Amino acid sequence: MKFAREIWLYAVPLVPVLWLLLRWGDRRSRSRLQRLLGTLGYAHIEEDHPRVRAWSRFLLLAGIFWLLLAAARPQWGASEVTVTQRGSDIAVALDISNSMLAQDVVPDRISRAKGELDSFLDRLTDSRIGLVFFAGSAFVQCPLTLDYATARIFLDMAGPDMLSEQGTAIAAALKTAHELLTRGRGDQPPGFQAILLVTDGEDLEGDWEAEAKRCLDDGIRIIPVGVGTAEGGLIPVTDDKGQPAGFMKGQDGSVVMSRLDMASLEKLAALSGGSAFRIGVDGLAGDKLFAELARLGKRDLQDRRISAYKERYLWPLLLALICFWARCLLEAGWSRQRGGALAQKGALLLLLPVFLTGGQASAGIVTPQAEAMARGRQDYLKQDYQGALSEFGAALVHDPDNPRISLALGEALSRLKKYDDAVREFGRTLELTDDPALKAEALYNAGTTLLAAGKAQDAVSRLKESLALDPDQPDALANLEQALELLRQQQQQQKDQQQKQQDQNQDQQKKDKQQDQSKDQQQKQQQEQGQQDRQQNDNRQDRQQQQQEQQQEQQDQQKQQEHQKQQEQKEQQKQQDQDKQQPQASEGKKNPQQGDEDLDREHALQVLKALDRDEQELKRSVQKRLKGGKPRSGKRW
């Protein structure tokens, strides 16, 4: 057994709570009556019997219980039936290149496309769906299937990280989708098949025109769907930790701006005699797209057996009616106004079918955006903010001018720490509404988001505007105090940084001055060292010159001594020669004149030696005077 509307079962525990409230009311009324009339006052009340009152209350609570059970629509007794599925085959080719991360549509192109496709699957019936993902290459992510839940699972997995080869290979996408549809067709004749191409159409690669013509020749329609804007948007990038790291740049270092190439998509649609769609203008769940799909026609897809449960709500409804009628008859027997009581109870019973069918009627008029908002609210309460973002985005597709949807979308983006996108959605809410309360809430959310992003100045401005519209906001006041404190800290940090920068500049100037002084000192030291080196060189040269002079003097003395020895040897030789020439007979005779001659000869030799010494001394003295020295002999010539 199962229940078609289980939500009514949550109200069943309220039945015993209602019984406790009725008992408490009886005791309170009895105590008041005793204080007023005494202990026997309760027995004098007319048309009141404790046992009748107890049974009446029991039948009321039992009727409510069975009525709630009937509203839950119990079902049991499953039986298998054979169903022949008729419909068409649709291959969805989704672009997952890096350009689909551009944020020119909220929240970004690929998330918006997935939200649109999810809404498309909600409305799609009796058709097989297949998924092809492509970038620089293409692959089949989900084969043709009637299980839309499985297709949604694969669709949620779509992302640029699934393909390392980047680009927009339309030809590869069409070829892969063509092969997928051809395999799914089997032996049946062509037709009843289409390719839903969802892309930004930028930087088309390959011979896509030839591949598109092959698809059309095989009876496969191509329906292009553009994602993005002609103005384009930047492509964010993240680091290894998943944190924002700026925007994508080209080879020349400039930031890449991705734009929707709607002209190429219109050219592709013209090949099949149709027109291109654009997300945000037409929508994938709109009547125009489904009118295009209806032109495909339907064929027998497959026969399958399904389990069908029978509705059994009539049994608890019948028990509820019996309980209410029994209570009505029981009270009518003890009441003087039986007719009025029966009329009232009969009117209540006539309203029961309306009560039971009211839920179904109201469910039939629930709009798609309301259902998406309800699912998104449930995901938000479960802290599944990514799922809530997808649901709110799907709701925004159905009703793009609804300020409350933009407000909810901004809250989900703020929870995902996409602060800039959240502030943009809150600003969009302010543009779409004139309700002061809603504006105050949007400004409060914008201020809180800016505070979380660390932009204290903007946060203070938004929170003050919110309080101006609705001063009774304690949370806004608390956040305003935090924003002011953060602003003060940021200003103080800025001042500290400026002071620190000034101190660093001063320190740098001092260091530069010290370095200049040290350079001057080094230059002076180098100059002094050079002078000392030159003086040492001069002293060394003087010493060397003195040594050379001393050596020269010693050499002159040696030469003089050798010259004197040579002169003496010459004189001795002459004397010997003269002695040999004289006769030996006259050796024994002494001649006074000869003695005088010997003395004169010795005196002449001495005079010659003295003259030679004077001559040598004169030469040395002259050399010294030429070199700047003083004569050693002290004589003046």
Side-chain angles (χ1 to χ4, degrees):
M1 183 178 67
K2 70 172 187 177
F3 295 91
R5 299 184 63 83
E6 294 182 354
I7 190 172
W8 290 102
L9 298 178
Y10 293 104
V12 172
L14 297 178
V15 175
V17 174
L18 180 60
W19 177 76
L20 292 175
L21 290 175
L22 292 174
R23 290 292 302 273
W24 176 76
D26 289 344
R27 290 180 181 179
R28 189 176 180 183
S29 61
R30 187 180 294 109
S31 62
R32 288 181 177 179
L33 187 62
Q34 287 179 356
R35 287 195 301 269
L36 181 64
L37 301 177
T39 57
L40 299 178
Y42 194 76
H44 295 284
I45 298 177
E46 297 181 356
E47 297 182 1
D48 182 66
H49 194 280
R51 183 173 297 178
V52 173
R53 187 172 63 253
W55 276 102
S56 176
R57 185 168 297 167
F58 170 76
L59 292 173
L60 174 64
L61 297 177
I64 294 175
F65 169 76
W66 291 115
L67 187 62
L68 292 174
L69 196 64
R73 291 174 57 192
Q75 299 173 346
W76 70 83
S79 60
E80 290 188 353
V81 295
T82 302
V83 178
T84 301
Q85 197 79 24
R86 288 182 57 82
S88 55
D89 292 337
I90 302 173
V92 177
L94 177 62
D95 187 355
I96 59 172
S97 60
N98 285 330
S99 61
M100 292 291 286
L101 295 176
Q103 298 176 348
D104 50 350
V105 293
V106 179
D108 52 54
R109 292 179 182 177
I110 192 167
S111 298
R112 185 67 174 273
K114 290 194 290 186
E116 291 271 359
L117 288 172
D118 189 70
S119 301
F120 171 75
L121 293 177
D122 286 338
R123 187 173 177 181
L124 187 65
T125 56
D126 300 335
S127 293
R128 292 192 300 179
I129 193 75
L131 295 178
V132 174
F133 294 164
F134 71 95
S137 59
F139 67 96
V140 177
Q141 178 68 9
C142 177
L144 293 172
T145 180
L146 289 167
D147 188 357
Y148 299 153
T150 301
R152 281 193 179 92
I153 294 174
F154 286 113
L155 182 62
D156 292 338
M157 297 167 58
D161 56 347
M162 299 182 70
L163 277 175
S164 59
E165 184 179 358
Q166 290 299 315
T168 310
I170 298 292
L174 295 177
K175 181 179 180 181
T176 305
H178 184 193
E179 293 174 353
L180 174 63
L181 294 174
T182 302
R183 289 195 301 269
R185 183 171 57 201
D187 298 333
Q188 297 186 10
F192 313 102
Q193 292 180 324
I195 298 175
L196 193 64
L197 183 65
V198 183
T199 178
D200 54 15
E202 187 180 27
D203 297 332
L204 301 184
E205 299 177 1
D207 190 8
W208 58 271
E209 294 185 0
E211 191 62 41
K213 290 180 180 179
R214 280 193 289 269
C215 292
L216 296 175
D217 293 339
D218 205 6
I220 299 175
R221 289 178 57 84
I222 301 175
I223 305 175
V225 179
V227 187
T229 61
E231 293 77 12
L234 302 178
I235 303 174
V237 295
T238 57
D239 55 16
D240 296 337
K241 297 181 180 179
Q243 298 298 324
F247 299 94
M248 183 176 294
K249 296 181 179 179
Q251 296 180 354
D252 56 351
S254 61
V255 179
V256 176
M257 178 68 71
S258 177
R259 294 180 175 85
L260 172 63
D261 187 4
M262 202 65 188
S264 298
L265 298 182
E266 289 287 356
K267 182 178 180 181
L268 178 60
L271 295 176
S272 57
S275 60
F277 291 80
R278 179 178 171 185
I279 290 179
V281 178
D282 304 301
L284 292 180
D287 295 335
K288 184 178 178 182
L289 176 61
F290 278 87
E292 288 286 334
L293 295 177
R295 294 169 56 188
L296 300 176
K298 294 183 178 181
R299 62 181 176 86
D300 293 340
L301 297 178
Q302 63 181 19
D303 294 337
R304 59 175 181 168
R305 299 178 64 84
I306 61 174
S307 297
Y309 289 88
K310 294 182 179 181
E311 293 284 351
R312 304 294 184 179
Y313 69 91
L314 291 177
W315 294 104
L317 178 60
L318 181 60
L319 292 175
L321 290 174
I322 291 174
C323 290
F324 287 134
W325 274 107
R327 182 174 182 272
C328 179
L329 294 175
L330 183 63
E331 290 184 353
W334 292 91
S335 175
R336 293 179 180 179
Q337 298 177 354
R338 298 177 183 179
L342 289 173
Q344 294 175 2
K345 307 306 178 182
L348 176 62
L349 294 177
L350 290 175
L351 292 176
L352 286 177
V354 178
F355 171 74
L356 290 175
T357 58
Q360 299 177 2
S362 62
I365 61 174
V366 175
T367 60
Q369 57 266 32
E371 292 180 352
M373 286 292 292
R375 292 194 300 268
R377 192 177 297 109
Q378 292 177 0
D379 292 338
Y380 187 88
L381 295 176
K382 294 176 183 177
Q383 297 183 355
D384 182 11
Y385 302 121
Q386 187 63 46
L389 180 64
S390 300
E391 295 295 343
F392 293 151
L396 188 66
V397 171
H398 295 288
D399 192 0
D401 296 331
N402 192 327
R404 295 188 179 277
I405 297 178
S406 295
L407 184 65
L409 192 63
E411 292 179 359
L413 289 168
S414 178
R415 291 290 185 175
L416 292 172
K417 297 183 179 180
K418 297 181 179 181
Y419 300 126
D420 294 338
D421 296 336
V423 172
R424 184 168 61 249
E425 283 301 314
F426 293 141
R428 190 168 177 270
T429 303
L430 295 173
E431 295 175 357
L432 293 174
T433 184
D434 294 329
D435 185 4
L438 193 59
K439 281 189 173 182
E441 186 176 359
L443 288 168
Y444 166 75
N445 289 337
T448 304
T449 302
L450 290 168
L451 179 60
K455 299 179 180 179
Q457 185 68 41
D458 295 336
V460 170
S461 177
R462 296 294 190 281
L463 291 172
K464 285 183 178 179
E465 292 178 6
S466 177
L467 289 171
L469 293 174
D470 186 7
D472 189 15
Q473 295 185 82
D475 293 340
L477 288 172
N479 289 344
L480 180 59
E481 293 178 357
Q482 294 182 6
L484 291 172
E485 179 65 21
L486 179 61
L487 180 61
R488 186 189 64 79
Q489 293 177 0
Q490 289 179 352
Q491 292 175 350
Q492 185 63 34
Q493 289 177 358
Q494 187 176 4
K495 291 180 180 179
D496 294 341
Q497 289 178 357
Q498 292 177 354
Q499 184 64 33
K500 185 177 179 181
Q501 186 66 28
Q502 292 178 358
D503 295 340
Q504 289 178 355
N505 293 334
Q506 292 177 359
D507 293 340
Q508 187 65 30
Q509 292 177 357
K510 290 180 180 179
K511 290 180 180 179
D512 294 339
K513 188 175 181 180
Q514 291 176 358
Q515 288 178 358
D516 294 337
Q517 292 177 356
S518 62
K519 287 181 180 179
D520 294 339
Q521 291 177 359
Q522 289 178 359
Q523 290 178 357
K524 290 180 180 179
Q525 291 177 358
Q526 290 176 358
Q527 291 177 357
E528 292 177 356
Q529 185 67 29
Q531 292 177 359
Q532 292 178 0
D533 293 339
R534 287 193 297 272
Q535 186 175 0
Q536 291 177 359
N537 292 331
D538 294 340
N539 294 333
R540 190 180 300 108
Q541 291 177 359
D542 292 340
R543 287 194 298 270
Q544 291 177 357
Q545 187 175 359
Q546 290 177 1
Q547 291 177 358
Q548 291 177 358
E549 290 177 356
Q550 291 176 0
Q551 291 176 359
Q552 184 67 30
E553 185 176 356
Q554 291 176 0
Q555 291 176 0
D556 293 341
Q557 290 178 359
Q558 290 177 359
K559 289 181 179 179
Q560 185 177 0
Q561 292 176 0
E562 291 177 356
H563 182 69
Q564 289 177 358
K565 288 180 180 180
Q566 290 177 358
Q567 291 292 335
E568 290 176 354
Q569 290 177 359
K570 288 179 179 180
E571 291 294 334
Q572 290 176 1
Q573 185 67 31
K574 288 180 180 180
Q575 186 64 33
Q576 290 176 1
D577 293 338
Q578 289 176 1
D579 292 340
K580 288 180 180 181
Q581 292 176 359
Q582 291 177 1
Q584 295 180 354
S586 61
E587 289 179 0
K589 295 181 179 180
K590 295 183 181 179
N591 191 358
Q593 292 180 352
Q594 189 177 359
D596 293 336
E597 290 176 358
D598 293 336
L599 290 173
D600 292 337
R601 189 180 295 113
E602 291 178 358
H603 181 70
L605 290 172
Q606 292 178 355
V607 171
L608 289 173
K609 291 180 181 179
L611 290 173
D612 291 335
R613 284 195 300 270
D614 291 339
E615 185 180 1
Q616 295 296 329
E617 185 70 23
L618 178 60
K619 289 181 180 180
R620 287 194 295 272
S621 178
V622 171
Q623 291 177 354
K624 276 209 174 266
R625 289 177 68 83
L626 292 174
K627 295 179 179 180
K630 293 182 180 180
R632 295 182 62 184
S633 63
K635 296 181 179 181
R636 296 182 179 178
W637 301 89

